[in-house]
Amino acid sequence: GAVVSQHPSRVICKSGTSVKIECRSLDFQATTMFWYRQFPKQSLMLMATSNEGSKATYEQGVEKDKFLINHASLTLSTLTVTSAHPEDSSFYICSAREAGAGGYTFGSGTRLTVV
Amino acid sequence: GNSVTQMEGPVTLSEEAFLTINCTYTATGYPSLFWYVQYPGEGLQLLLKATKADDKGSNKGFEATYRKETTSFHLEKGSVQVSDSAVYFCALSQAGNNRKLIWGLGTSLAVNP
């Protein structure tokens, strides 16, 4: 079945630095990619939706200059957390959808800790 | 707007007990409905789905029926196992708007031996 590879699975970074998270669709073309943030014991919060080759659409309250999303190819999307601060520590999850297909495939998530 | 309401957890059951996790939704038209599962320390996995009224999704002994008259998609399993311990999320998607998913808050299930 469809697989989305998300890396890294865990990252610890210093406050003020930037962190890049990658999601790759391994056996299908991810025309749409969704980026989520999940707080402990809470549901997923959609941060942004991106279509290949287009600018991402951010949800209300999500800073687009802080959470940079690039979806330059049909198999790769990246989320860069810029100038990270401790409050950005969270679990980030990507999800990909192929055009015309009904399903969503999720990456295994990235645990970001900013110290 | 569209929304999903799930029963609050945590739910604690003994092995072989019957499980029901309630999910109701608010949406216009005919959304697709999903149950996702998140095992400890892992990402989300699709458990089952239904795309039209009266459809029944099933997988791994879990079932859920798309009930348009009650706008519900309750998750059931006749005999739970310890390995079913996880967080379960109900979600819906609609045509358009990139078909983004609308999520319930999740229900944590703990199954004791």
Side-chain angles (χ1 to χ4, degrees):
Chain A
V3 176
V4 170
S5 176
Q6 183 172 347
H7 292 282
S9 58
R10 292 178 180 272
V11 58
I12 301 173
C13 70
K14 291 185 177 180
S15 188
T17 61
S18 295
V19 173
K20 180 183 284 189
I21 302 169
E22 288 189 354
C23 271
R24 293 181 183 273
S25 56
L26 299 186
D27 49 5
F28 67 100
Q29 295 184 327
T31 48
T32 305
M33 190 74 80
F34 305 89
W35 285 95
Y36 294 90
R37 184 173 178 177
Q38 186 181 28
F39 295 96
K41 299 186 178 181
Q42 292 190 27
S43 189
L44 284 76
M45 182 191 80
L46 180 65
M47 300 174 66
T49 303
S50 70
N51 290 300
E52 183 265 338
S54 302
K55 288 185 178 180
T57 301
Y58 289 81
E59 296 297 305
Q60 191 172 7
V62 178
E63 298 176 60
K64 62 180 181 181
D65 294 331
K66 181 169 185 62
F67 299 99
L68 302 179
I69 291 172
N70 184 287
H71 190 174
S73 80
L74 285 170
T75 59
L76 174 65
S77 178
T78 62
L79 167 67
T80 302
V81 183
T82 62
S83 186
H85 292 283
E87 58 265 30
D88 299 323
S89 298
S90 192
F91 192 59
Y92 293 87
I93 305 172
C94 66
S95 173
R97 184 176 176 276
E98 185 176 16
Y104 304 78
T105 304
F106 286 80
S108 55
T110 298
R111 173 73 60 193
L112 170 64
T113 303
V114 184
V115 297
Chain B
N2 299 334
S3 66
V4 174
T5 302
Q6 262 181 264
M7 65 182 285
E8 291 187 24
V11 174
T12 303
L13 296 173
S14 297
E15 206 164 23
E16 299 184 2
F18 184 86
L19 169 70
T20 300
I21 300 178
N22 289 339
C23 172
T24 57
Y25 67 90
T26 302
T28 55
Y30 299 90
S32 293
L33 301 173
F34 305 83
W35 276 100
Y36 282 86
V37 58
Q38 186 176 31
Y39 297 103
E42 298 185 16
L44 285 153
Q45 301 175 29
L46 177 65
L47 181 59
L48 53 85
K49 68 178 182 180
T51 58
K52 60 182 187 296
D54 299 326
D55 265 3
K56 177 186 283 187
S58 61
N59 186 25
K60 299 181 180 180
F62 291 88
E63 293 183 342
T65 301
Y66 189 143
R67 301 284 188 201
K68 187 163 177 63
E69 64 276 15
T70 54
T71 61
S72 65
F73 193 53
H74 304 322
L75 182 68
E76 296 182 338
K77 185 172 185 180
S79 176
V80 294
Q81 305 301 311
V82 173
S83 57
D84 293 326
S85 299
V87 180
Y88 293 82
F89 292 93
C90 186
L92 71 80
S93 75
Q94 286 193 288
N97 199 17
N98 283 315
R99 295 180 181 261
K100 65 180 182 181
L101 289 166
I102 308 297
W103 295 88
L105 290 179
T107 302
S108 175
L109 170 66
V111 181
N112 298 321

